[in-house]
Amino acid sequence: MVSQVSHDHHLLAERIARLTGVEGSARLQAALEQVRQGVLAELQAAEEAAAAGTEFDSVWEEASEAGSRPMSRASTPVPRSLSRNDGTPEPLSDAEGLAASQNSAEQAADAQGAQDGSPAQQQADGLGNEQMVWEMLYNPAYSLPTEEAEAAWYRAMGRETAADAELDPSDVESMSPEQLTAAVTRRARAIAERAFWDFIVWRFKTAAQGQALPAQLAPLLAELGTELSSIVTDTLEAQQLTEQYTERAVLERLRSRTGEQGGGANLTAVGSMMEQLAQVLLRSGGAERAAEAADAVQHIQASMTAALAAAAAGNEAAVNASNPTNPTVRNEVAPAAAALAEALAAALRLLMTQLKVVKLDAANTRLRGLARAMRDRGAVSYLQTKLATAWQFPSADDASNSSPASLAVAEPAAIAERLPLTAAWVRQAQAEMVLQLRSGLSAAGLLLGQQAATAAVVAGGLQSVELRSGVRAAPRAASPTVRPSGSTNSPRSPGSASSAVSQIKPVFPVTLDSWQGAVRAGLLALVTGDTPAAGPILPEILTFDRVRLHEQQNGLQQLLVTAAGLLIIQQLRTASGLVWDAEVRSQARRRLMVVLSDPGMKLSHLVTELTQLAGATGVATEQRVKTMFTSIVDSETAAFRSIRSAVGVALAAHLLYGKAALAADATAAASCNALLGRVGAAALYDDVADLGEKLAGVAAVNEAVHGHWLATLAAAN
């Protein structure tokens, strides 16, 4: 892996040197050095924490080999600021303990949620509690995806899944880049999974013929038994499984000579262990999969019984033969060994994939319990309390305040001391980005006044709030709109969708002078910047949004490169007198987005596509297109700065007023479209609007949870 990374860095350096010259190479080296220093600092912090006895929450770890092994626990470091004050880990408890900051009614609902579902739910590995609740603010129906695990389980039962089907060329043509990537990935995983288990069959077959089956079988049975012990709620049964399924104990049972023999193993013990593991797994699963799980167990029993009997008979025949090495005897034993190997591998594959499904179901059951407990604004209050404790802010009791975390009393200096990166981020956004955006919006005709902005928001069907200048928001504008999931005009009923976590919606409109405006300008600065948005200087409050910001920055980069390509195509087609209408622009946009979505794309591929879209051919033309493209995408050139500025201002308009508001205001929509059109990006209007909506969602959640800190920091500046 180290060698491969070094090789990739070398190739990347060569490409950057060709595209951007010495300055680009210097920026690459500086960026790599910055990352190295950040990693070293994190490692040093982790070592210091370990020396002090600090532990961290376990997180959900997804097996890298598709279906090759069950889910396992991993002690993964999380930000030190998210552990308790005394350095001990925040436990992954059941739902009853997750709403400690809520009232007794919420605790009762939480406890009830913990009692629902399968016995495995309280012991399921999972994401940290705060991270899961955070995800619920974006999606009240948030759950861990089970599709891949279910598909692997169904394949283990001999069913055909979508990943097994060949991709039809006609379907491929109609797929979006994301759909095509997902389809290819699923198929690649299915092929890798099948190859892995074919290899296991071969190893079992070879070992059985050489009377060495215990050494190959023991590690897998031991791992399966150990994993099962982690989800069993009965303490005594869990302890027994742990003791019985150490690799040494399993090996001793397999090598004993007290039962029927075959392949060098005690087949009676093999059958007994398989039966025990299957029954434990059946009891641990949820009721919704009980029928499928029972069918799976019967499948194991039937295949294992026949294979074990055949292997035992073959072994007895070989033992009783006068010359066991005779080819005739070996030919009689070999089919039995092959059948045994296939049955063992199939049974293990079925149990391991079923275990992964059970764990995911258990975690999702716990998530549903969390959702019931965190109804209305309970999730926001929970996060405020937890994070206030983690960052050592005064609690409600300390400040004699009834709020979940009375941070209004915290001085700016105290906030800056605990959240230095956040304080610097807000300060820089107010000092630089806000001024740049005000100038850009004004020049583009998108700096709407109070009445125009409010009217656009109302026309767009959004809930309007009072538009005010200054960093102090009006009371009803202080927090983003909370819209209960599945809410209706009817009274709430226990367990209904409306009792789940409420989804946070952004406040619109927002002025650049408000603290929300500073937050949104800061988010825009992160995703439009040259440095990674999720890098070492990421503000502390955005820790849970690290992946989102990384994806949104990648999305913006794709839009910028697409805009550069469209600008080149426009220039070449116009010069050649070719049509460049809305339909041609739309087709060019789609083809460029597909090419840029390919992780293996090369510059030559993109240049060829640009040349074809421009209606030109020939090596000389391709070289000209390549020269134009490398010149435009240089971040130091005026052309690229113009593209980034136009897209950034359009994004800012959507962040401040909302996608629906801009769509409803014909003048604002025309101004935004004209702004993008000047840099050849008119075809990307909807893409920019969608990205702005995603970024506004990040702003909404952070404003709801961290608004008290952010408003105080903004007011101090």
Short mmCIF file of all heavy atoms in Angstrom, two decimals, residues 665-701:
data_model
loop_
_atom_site.label_atom_id
_atom_site.label_comp_id
_atom_site.label_asym_id
_atom_site.label_seq_id
_atom_site.Cartn_x
_atom_site.Cartn_y
_atom_site.Cartn_z
N ASP A 665 -38.45 34.12 -8.28
CA ASP A 665 -38.18 35.51 -8.63
C ASP A 665 -37.58 35.54 -10.02
O ASP A 665 -36.40 35.21 -10.22
CB ASP A 665 -37.22 36.13 -7.61
CG ASP A 665 -37.06 37.64 -7.81
OD1 ASP A 665 -36.96 38.08 -8.96
OD2 ASP A 665 -37.01 38.36 -6.80
N ALA A 666 -38.36 35.92 -11.00
CA ALA A 666 -37.90 35.87 -12.40
C ALA A 666 -36.68 36.74 -12.62
O ALA A 666 -35.74 36.35 -13.35
CB ALA A 666 -39.04 36.32 -13.32
N THR A 667 -36.64 37.92 -11.99
CA THR A 667 -35.50 38.82 -12.17
C THR A 667 -34.22 38.22 -11.59
O THR A 667 -33.16 38.24 -12.22
CB THR A 667 -35.79 40.18 -11.52
OG1 THR A 667 -36.98 40.73 -12.07
CG2 THR A 667 -34.63 41.14 -11.74
N ALA A 668 -34.33 37.69 -10.37
CA ALA A 668 -33.16 37.09 -9.73
C ALA A 668 -32.69 35.86 -10.50
O ALA A 668 -31.49 35.65 -10.68
CB ALA A 668 -33.49 36.71 -8.28
N ALA A 669 -33.65 35.04 -10.96
CA ALA A 669 -33.28 33.85 -11.72
C ALA A 669 -32.57 34.23 -13.02
O ALA A 669 -31.56 33.61 -13.41
CB ALA A 669 -34.52 33.01 -12.02
N ALA A 670 -33.06 35.29 -13.68
CA ALA A 670 -32.43 35.73 -14.92
C ALA A 670 -31.03 36.27 -14.66
O ALA A 670 -30.10 36.03 -15.44
CB ALA A 670 -33.29 36.81 -15.58
N SER A 671 -30.87 36.99 -13.55
CA SER A 671 -29.55 37.52 -13.20
C SER A 671 -28.57 36.40 -12.91
O SER A 671 -27.41 36.44 -13.32
CB SER A 671 -29.67 38.45 -11.99
OG SER A 671 -30.49 39.56 -12.28
N CYS A 672 -29.03 35.39 -12.18
CA CYS A 672 -28.17 34.25 -11.86
C CYS A 672 -27.80 33.48 -13.12
O CYS A 672 -26.64 33.07 -13.30
CB CYS A 672 -28.89 33.33 -10.86
SG CYS A 672 -27.84 32.04 -10.15
N ASN A 673 -28.76 33.29 -14.00
CA ASN A 673 -28.50 32.58 -15.24
C ASN A 673 -27.53 33.36 -16.14
O ASN A 673 -26.64 32.79 -16.78
CB ASN A 673 -29.81 32.34 -15.98
CG ASN A 673 -29.66 31.33 -17.12
OD1 ASN A 673 -29.25 30.19 -16.90
ND2 ASN A 673 -29.97 31.75 -18.33
N ALA A 674 -27.70 34.69 -16.17
CA ALA A 674 -26.79 35.52 -16.97
C ALA A 674 -25.38 35.49 -16.40
O ALA A 674 -24.40 35.47 -17.15
CB ALA A 674 -27.32 36.96 -17.00
N LEU A 675 -25.28 35.48 -15.08
CA LEU A 675 -23.97 35.41 -14.43
C LEU A 675 -23.22 34.14 -14.83
O LEU A 675 -22.03 34.18 -15.19
CB LEU A 675 -24.15 35.46 -12.90
CG LEU A 675 -22.90 35.23 -12.05
CD1 LEU A 675 -21.91 36.37 -12.24
CD2 LEU A 675 -23.28 35.10 -10.58
N LEU A 676 -23.91 33.00 -14.79
CA LEU A 676 -23.28 31.74 -15.18
C LEU A 676 -23.03 31.71 -16.68
O LEU A 676 -22.02 31.15 -17.14
CB LEU A 676 -24.18 30.57 -14.77
CG LEU A 676 -24.35 30.36 -13.26
CD1 LEU A 676 -25.38 29.27 -12.99
CD2 LEU A 676 -23.03 29.99 -12.60
N GLY A 677 -23.94 32.31 -17.45
CA GLY A 677 -23.78 32.30 -18.90
C GLY A 677 -22.55 33.04 -19.36
O GLY A 677 -21.95 32.69 -20.39
N ARG A 678 -22.13 34.06 -18.61
CA ARG A 678 -20.95 34.83 -19.02
C ARG A 678 -19.68 34.01 -18.96
O ARG A 678 -18.68 34.37 -19.59
CB ARG A 678 -20.82 36.08 -18.14
CG ARG A 678 -21.81 37.17 -18.49
CD ARG A 678 -21.42 38.50 -17.86
NE ARG A 678 -21.60 38.51 -16.42
CZ ARG A 678 -22.73 38.86 -15.81
NH1 ARG A 678 -23.79 39.22 -16.55
NH2 ARG A 678 -22.83 38.87 -14.51
N VAL A 679 -19.67 32.93 -18.20
CA VAL A 679 -18.49 32.06 -18.14
C VAL A 679 -18.78 30.70 -18.77
O VAL A 679 -18.09 29.72 -18.49
CB VAL A 679 -18.01 31.89 -16.68
CG1 VAL A 679 -17.50 33.21 -16.12
CG2 VAL A 679 -19.12 31.31 -15.79
N GLY A 680 -19.81 30.64 -19.59
CA GLY A 680 -20.12 29.41 -20.31
C GLY A 680 -20.78 28.34 -19.48
O GLY A 680 -20.82 27.17 -19.88
N ALA A 681 -21.32 28.70 -18.29
CA ALA A 681 -21.87 27.70 -17.37
C ALA A 681 -23.38 27.77 -17.25
O ALA A 681 -23.94 27.30 -16.26
CB ALA A 681 -21.23 27.86 -15.99
N ALA A 682 -24.05 28.34 -18.24
CA ALA A 682 -25.51 28.46 -18.15
C ALA A 682 -26.18 27.10 -18.03
O ALA A 682 -27.21 26.95 -17.36
CB ALA A 682 -26.05 29.20 -19.38
N ALA A 683 -25.61 26.08 -18.66
CA ALA A 683 -26.19 24.74 -18.61
C ALA A 683 -26.08 24.12 -17.22
O ALA A 683 -26.69 23.08 -16.95
CB ALA A 683 -25.51 23.83 -19.63
N LEU A 684 -25.29 24.74 -16.34
CA LEU A 684 -25.06 24.19 -15.00
C LEU A 684 -25.93 24.86 -13.94
O LEU A 684 -25.70 24.67 -12.75
CB LEU A 684 -23.58 24.33 -14.62
CG LEU A 684 -22.57 23.66 -15.54
CD1 LEU A 684 -21.15 23.95 -15.08
CD2 LEU A 684 -22.82 22.15 -15.59
N TYR A 685 -26.93 25.64 -14.37
CA TYR A 685 -27.75 26.38 -13.40
C TYR A 685 -28.37 25.44 -12.37
O TYR A 685 -28.29 25.68 -11.16
CB TYR A 685 -28.85 27.15 -14.14
CG TYR A 685 -29.73 27.99 -13.23
CD1 TYR A 685 -29.44 29.33 -12.99
CD2 TYR A 685 -30.84 27.44 -12.59
CE1 TYR A 685 -30.23 30.09 -12.15
CE2 TYR A 685 -31.64 28.19 -11.74
CZ TYR A 685 -31.32 29.52 -11.53
OH TYR A 685 -32.10 30.27 -10.68
N ASP A 686 -29.01 24.37 -12.83
CA ASP A 686 -29.66 23.43 -11.90
C ASP A 686 -28.65 22.72 -11.01
O ASP A 686 -28.93 22.44 -9.84
CB ASP A 686 -30.49 22.41 -12.67
CG ASP A 686 -31.72 23.03 -13.33
OD1 ASP A 686 -32.18 24.09 -12.85
OD2 ASP A 686 -32.21 22.47 -14.32
N ASP A 687 -27.48 22.40 -11.56
CA ASP A 687 -26.44 21.74 -10.76
C ASP A 687 -25.94 22.65 -9.65
O ASP A 687 -25.72 22.22 -8.52
CB ASP A 687 -25.27 21.32 -11.66
CG ASP A 687 -25.70 20.35 -12.75
OD1 ASP A 687 -26.04 19.21 -12.42
OD2 ASP A 687 -25.69 20.75 -13.92
N VAL A 688 -25.75 23.93 -9.98
CA VAL A 688 -25.33 24.89 -8.96
C VAL A 688 -26.42 25.04 -7.90
O VAL A 688 -26.13 25.11 -6.69
CB VAL A 688 -25.02 26.25 -9.62
CG1 VAL A 688 -24.76 27.32 -8.56
CG2 VAL A 688 -23.80 26.13 -10.54
N ALA A 689 -27.69 25.09 -8.33
CA ALA A 689 -28.79 25.21 -7.38
C ALA A 689 -28.85 24.01 -6.44
O ALA A 689 -29.07 24.16 -5.23
CB ALA A 689 -30.11 25.36 -8.14
N ASP A 690 -28.65 22.81 -6.98
CA ASP A 690 -28.69 21.60 -6.15
C ASP A 690 -27.54 21.60 -5.14
O ASP A 690 -27.73 21.22 -3.97
CB ASP A 690 -28.60 20.36 -7.03
CG ASP A 690 -29.86 20.15 -7.86
OD1 ASP A 690 -30.91 20.71 -7.50
OD2 ASP A 690 -29.80 19.42 -8.87
N LEU A 691 -26.35 22.01 -5.58
CA LEU A 691 -25.22 22.07 -4.66
C LEU A 691 -25.46 23.12 -3.58
O LEU A 691 -25.15 22.90 -2.41
CB LEU A 691 -23.94 22.38 -5.44
CG LEU A 691 -22.65 22.44 -4.62
CD1 LEU A 691 -22.40 21.11 -3.89
CD2 LEU A 691 -21.46 22.78 -5.51
N GLY A 692 -26.05 24.25 -3.97
CA GLY A 692 -26.37 25.27 -2.98
C GLY A 692 -27.37 24.78 -1.95
O GLY A 692 -27.27 25.10 -0.76
N GLU A 693 -28.32 23.96 -2.39
CA GLU A 693 -29.31 23.40 -1.46
C GLU A 693 -28.65 22.45 -0.46
O GLU A 693 -28.99 22.45 0.72
CB GLU A 693 -30.39 22.69 -2.26
CG GLU A 693 -31.65 22.38 -1.48
CD GLU A 693 -32.77 21.91 -2.39
OE1 GLU A 693 -32.49 21.15 -3.34
OE2 GLU A 693 -33.93 22.28 -2.13
N LYS A 694 -27.70 21.66 -0.95
CA LYS A 694 -26.99 20.74 -0.04
C LYS A 694 -26.17 21.53 0.98
O LYS A 694 -26.14 21.18 2.17
CB LYS A 694 -26.08 19.82 -0.85
CG LYS A 694 -26.82 18.82 -1.73
CD LYS A 694 -25.84 17.99 -2.55
CE LYS A 694 -26.57 17.02 -3.47
NZ LYS A 694 -25.63 16.24 -4.31
N LEU A 695 -25.50 22.57 0.51
CA LEU A 695 -24.67 23.37 1.42
C LEU A 695 -25.55 24.12 2.42
O LEU A 695 -25.17 24.29 3.59
CB LEU A 695 -23.82 24.34 0.61
CG LEU A 695 -22.57 24.91 1.28
CD1 LEU A 695 -21.66 23.80 1.76
CD2 LEU A 695 -21.80 25.81 0.32
N ALA A 696 -26.73 24.56 1.98
CA ALA A 696 -27.66 25.22 2.90
C ALA A 696 -28.13 24.24 3.98
O ALA A 696 -28.39 24.64 5.12
CB ALA A 696 -28.86 25.77 2.12
N GLY A 697 -28.26 22.95 3.62
CA GLY A 697 -28.63 21.94 4.61
C GLY A 697 -27.58 21.81 5.69
O GLY A 697 -27.90 21.67 6.89
N VAL A 698 -26.30 21.84 5.31
CA VAL A 698 -25.21 21.79 6.30
C VAL A 698 -25.27 23.02 7.19
O VAL A 698 -25.10 22.93 8.41
CB VAL A 698 -23.85 21.70 5.59
CG1 VAL A 698 -22.71 21.76 6.60
CG2 VAL A 698 -23.75 20.41 4.78
N ALA A 699 -25.52 24.18 6.58
CA ALA A 699 -25.62 25.41 7.37
C ALA A 699 -26.77 25.32 8.36
O ALA A 699 -26.63 25.72 9.52
CB ALA A 699 -25.82 26.60 6.43
N ALA A 700 -27.91 24.79 7.93
CA ALA A 700 -29.09 24.72 8.79
C ALA A 700 -28.83 23.91 10.05
O ALA A 700 -29.16 24.34 11.17
CB ALA A 700 -30.25 24.12 8.01
N VAL A 701 -28.22 22.74 9.89
CA VAL A 701 -27.98 21.87 11.05
C VAL A 701 -26.98 22.52 12.00
O VAL A 701 -27.17 22.52 13.23
CB VAL A 701 -27.48 20.50 10.58
CG1 VAL A 701 -27.01 19.66 11.76
CG2 VAL A 701 -28.59 19.76 9.83
#
